[in-house]
């Protein structure tokens, strides 16, 4: 009696025989899906744009954007209200004659014992960008902010190296130690600098 004949009388044996036959005539493993190769350049650009969103969050925090408004009056407070006392940018960004920023803003934050609402200060002098390159941060989209920061015609003639040097200015660093009554920038300064370098190192790409 042949194997197939014996299998007809044994359902289990028949199933095993058919399985073996089908396996024998199989054309091989089914085709695997094609996984596209990763594009290193595209990933780098995406990582850089993500890094700029960290940078953007810092630049548009009140500690930074209050001195980078679109108009000539600085802003103040965490709510970004127009500065009291009719303070204006002035011809060099340091206030109007007779009402310079350093009239109230000294070389350092006053002691905490002075209480709230005391003008803060910093060693390099309180100031805004001069009127020729205001470099506003307020109300801009990510792409608009990125374009302005990287445009020498609107950032005071700074290239990438000069922008990085500017970030070391004590006035910029002040945003992380603003004194009592003011919210510090929530992103750690080291994380901000790393994000900046990731973005700049990829060519400072801007979102569309």
């Amino acid at each position: 009696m042949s194997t197939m004949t014996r299998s007809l009388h044994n359902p289990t044996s028949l199933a095993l025989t058919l399985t073996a036959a089908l396996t024998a005539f199989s054309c091989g493993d089914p085709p695997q899906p094609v996984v596209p190769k990763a594009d290193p350049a595209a990933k780098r650009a995406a990582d850089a744009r993500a890094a700029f969103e960290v940078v953007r969050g810092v630049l548009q925090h009140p500690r930074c954007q209050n001195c980078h408004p679109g108009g000539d009056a600085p802003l103040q407070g965490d709510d970004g209200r127009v500065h009291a006392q009719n303070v204006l940018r002035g011809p060099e960004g340091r206030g109007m004659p007779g009402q310079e920023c350093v009239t109230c803003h000294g070389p350092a934050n006053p002691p905490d014992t002075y209480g709230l609402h005391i003008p803060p200060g910093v060693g390099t002098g309180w100031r805004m960008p001069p009127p020729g390159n205001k470099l506003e941060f307020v109300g801009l989209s990510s792409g608009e902010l990125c374009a302005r920061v990287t445009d020498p015609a609107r950032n005071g003639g700074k290239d990438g190296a000069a922008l990085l040097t500017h970030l070391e200015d004590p006035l910029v660093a002040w945003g992380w130690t603003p004194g009592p009554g003011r919210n510090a920038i929530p992103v750690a300064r080291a994380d901000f600098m790393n994000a900046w370098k990731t973005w700049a190192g990829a060519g400072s790409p801007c979102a569309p």
Side-chain angles (χ1 to χ4, degrees):
M1 184 183 293
S2 68
T3 300
M4 182 60 73
T5 301
R6 289 195 301 270
S7 297
L8 291 174
H9 298 283
N10 186 331
T12 301
S13 178
L14 175 61
L16 292 174
T17 301
L18 291 174
T19 299
L22 289 172
T23 301
F25 287 99
S26 172
C27 295
D29 294 333
Q32 298 298 312
V34 177
V35 179
K37 293 182 179 179
D39 183 346
K43 183 180 185 305
R44 189 181 184 206
D47 289 346
R49 285 193 291 269
F52 183 75
E53 289 308 304
V54 177
V55 171
R56 176 191 182 188
V58 172
L59 299 186
Q60 292 188 319
H61 186 274
R63 297 292 75 77
C64 290
Q65 73 173 7
N66 280 359
C67 286
H68 288 267
D72 286 323
L75 309 178
Q76 63 181 150
D78 291 332
D79 56 352
R81 61 189 181 279
V82 176
H83 201 298
Q85 294 90 38
N86 195 33
V87 172
L88 296 174
R89 186 187 303 271
E92 297 180 354
R94 297 178 182 272
M96 298 295 288
Q99 199 181 21
E100 289 84 0
C101 300
V102 294
T103 302
C104 297
H105 294 275
N109 289 336
D112 292 358
T113 54
Y114 279 42
L116 305 178
H117 312 302
I118 302 299
V122 71
T124 51
W126 211 256
R127 63 194 187 278
M128 298 172 68
N133 41 64
K134 298 178 181 180
L135 191 56
E136 61 267 32
F137 294 167
V138 179
L140 301 182
S141 68
S142 180
E144 291 169 336
L145 179 63
C146 178
R148 295 194 187 195
V149 168
T150 54
D151 183 0
R154 293 184 287 182
N155 71 11
K158 295 179 178 65
D159 60 10
L163 285 171
L164 189 59
T165 298
H166 177 66
L167 298 179
E168 301 296 340
D169 189 308
L171 182 57
V172 176
W174 170 88
W176 281 267
T177 55
R182 301 174 188 86
N183 288 324
I185 294 170
V187 177
R189 182 164 169 77
D191 292 342
F192 165 70
M193 295 300 292
N194 288 336
W196 182 283
K197 292 174 182 177
T198 296
W199 168 64
S204 305
C206 297

